[in-house]
Amino acid sequence: MSEATSTSGTRRNEDDGAHLASVRDAAAEHASKHRRLIRSARDGRLLSALMLPGLLAWPGSGYGVITTTGRKTGKPRRKCIRVIRRGNKAYIVQLRPPELAMTRPSAVSAWVWNIRSNPNVKLRIRGGTFAGVARELKEPAELAEARAAFCEKVTLSDYGECALHLRGLPTRAKIEELHRYWFDTGIPLVVDLVD
């Protein structure tokens, strides 16, 4: 390989290392504020399975169900998610609870691996079920747009979610802080919806 290519690879590794360190730091800062609702990947799957029938029947504002194609099985896989729609874009984030973010800041959920393998998804949100193409956000301008959309939107359901995740009474400020934490420590994605 050329020197330019190896320098580019080194810079990317340094950027990845700095990002993982910032994820760990943010998780350590926020850990004392969070309840230990989800202690493992199994707990997250259980919570999603409990929420799934309700969100399939009536997805509330700010929430929905993403259907991916299993990368190994080829079968449809559904996951409950927080989703914010802006026009033909739907913003979602793979969450990392503080305990996970401190120990494994580069952890990736199965549904994100499925998207990496096959980006064609279905999204059940308020207003119907939409086909789309999902992708991880990398560009600074797109990340800023997604962060603003994801973190500033507060729905009535967010108050209950905040009570499950954070200690104390939920407030708009706490909800926005929780959403910023999720965005900054998670994997932000966008689904470009197909008409």
Side-chain angles (χ1 to χ4, degrees), residues 141-181:
E142 278 190 314
L143 281 166
E145 181 182 332
R147 189 176 195 271
F150 192 84
C151 299
E152 293 171 5
K153 175 78 173 180
V154 175
T155 67
L156 188 58
S157 302
D158 289 329
Y159 285 87
E161 184 176 58
C162 182
L164 289 173
H165 288 278
L166 295 180
R167 300 176 194 283
L169 292 175
T171 64
R172 183 178 183 88
K174 285 172 75 173
I175 292 167
E176 289 173 350
E177 180 183 8
L178 179 63
H179 292 168
R180 284 190 298 273
Y181 167 79

Side-chain angles (χ1 to χ4, degrees), residues 12-34:
R12 190 171 341 165
N13 290 341
E14 290 171 0
D15 290 346
D16 288 346
H19 174 70
L20 296 179
S22 72
V23 168
R24 270 193 205 98
D25 292 344
E29 178 185 333
H30 285 265
S32 64
K33 300 173 187 176
H34 286 248

Side-chain angles (χ1 to χ4, degrees), residues 99-135:
E99 290 77 18
L100 178 63
M102 288 187 291
T103 58
R104 293 181 30 226
S106 61
V108 178
S109 294
W111 64 272
V112 175
W113 283 113
N114 291 344
I115 287 171
R116 288 176 177 175
S117 176
N118 180 353
N120 297 307
V121 300
K122 288 188 181 168
L123 196 58
R124 172 79 171 118
I125 55 177
R126 184 173 277 186
T129 301
F130 301 88
V133 178
R135 59 188 168 83

Side-chain angles (χ1 to χ4, degrees), residues 184-195:
D184 294 342
T185 61
I187 299 176
L189 299 102
V190 63
V191 178
D192 295 307
L193 302 174
V194 178
D195 291 333

